[in-house]
């Protein structure tokens, strides 16, 4: 499964903030520059993450964005379920002749849920700052290695 660019950037923003801890407040513009992304796109991502309660945002001098208390303990799978709201294949409203008896759509929905379930045991803290002794393998999956 491929994540939307929105979800990809959301995870990057959270992980980058998690790396810094409470030591630094970022502006959305600085974060966009750091990630090599559009400032407008990161501003939308930050707004959504604040709405989800994962980030805190303060306006004005000395303001910026930072991790909300406890956000590092949030499940990556749970976060992605909130961000990835669409189906893998969106057939509704099409003139596809296979739609009435299609078995692919429910199978893909099940595969998407399995993807999220694989990420459920991993927290932002796990993927942002993996310890060398930490086993990030997920049952039945290839070992995850830090970037």
């Amino acid at each position: 499964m491929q994540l939307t660019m929105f979800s990809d950037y959301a995870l990057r923003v959270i992980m980058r903030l998690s790396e810094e801890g409470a030591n630094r407040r970022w502006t959305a513009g600085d974060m966009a520059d750091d990630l090599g992304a559009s400032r407008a796109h990161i501003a939308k991502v930050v707004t959504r993450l604040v709405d989800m309660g994962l980030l805190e945002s303060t306006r004005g001098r000395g303001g910026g964005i930072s991790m909300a208390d406890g956000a590092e303990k949030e499940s990556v799978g749970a976060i992605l379920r909130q961000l990835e709201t669409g189906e893998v294949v969106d057939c509704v409203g099409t003139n596809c002749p296979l739609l009435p008896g299609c078995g692919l759509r429910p199978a893909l929905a099940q595969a998407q849920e399995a993807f999220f379930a694989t990420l459920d045991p991993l927290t932002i803290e796990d993927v942002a700052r993996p310890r060398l002794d930490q086993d990030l393998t997920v049952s039945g999956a290839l070992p995850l290695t830090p970037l």
Side-chain angles (χ1 to χ4, degrees):
M1 186 181 147
Q2 183 172 351
L3 296 177
T4 61
M5 186 184 306
F6 190 89
S7 294
D8 181 12
Y9 281 133
L11 290 176
R12 291 177 192 223
V13 166
I14 295 168
M15 290 171 65
R16 190 70 178 104
L17 290 170
S18 180
E19 284 178 343
E20 295 289 331
N23 300 331
R24 178 174 177 190
R25 294 185 74 80
W26 291 69
T27 66
D30 289 341
M31 182 63 71
D33 293 345
D34 187 66
L35 297 176
S38 153
R39 287 176 176 233
H41 200 93
I42 295 299
K44 290 176 187 175
V45 166
V46 166
T47 298
R48 178 78 167 106
L49 294 173
V50 168
D51 290 345
M52 291 170 61
L54 297 170
L55 302 185
E56 293 177 347
S57 177
T58 307
R59 293 182 180 264
R61 188 173 182 86
I65 55 173
S66 61
M67 293 291 289
D69 288 339
E72 290 180 329
K73 301 294 184 191
E74 290 292 322
S75 160
V76 174
I79 292 168
L80 287 175
R81 274 187 193 87
Q82 292 181 61
L83 295 171
E84 295 282 329
T85 57
E87 294 184 53
V88 176
V89 176
D90 188 11
C91 306
V92 177
T94 67
N95 292 326
C96 180
L98 302 173
L99 189 58
C102 181
L104 181 60
R105 201 166 150 215
L108 289 174
Q110 187 176 5
Q112 182 181 34
E113 179 51 36
F115 174 78
F116 295 143
T118 300
L119 297 171
D120 280 340
L122 299 175
T123 65
I124 291 300
E125 184 177 49
D126 292 335
V127 297
R129 291 180 272 165
R131 299 183 315 271
L132 293 177
D133 64 337
Q134 184 177 11
D135 181 13
L136 290 180
T137 57
V138 178
S139 178
L142 296 174
L144 301 174
T145 54
L147 298 175

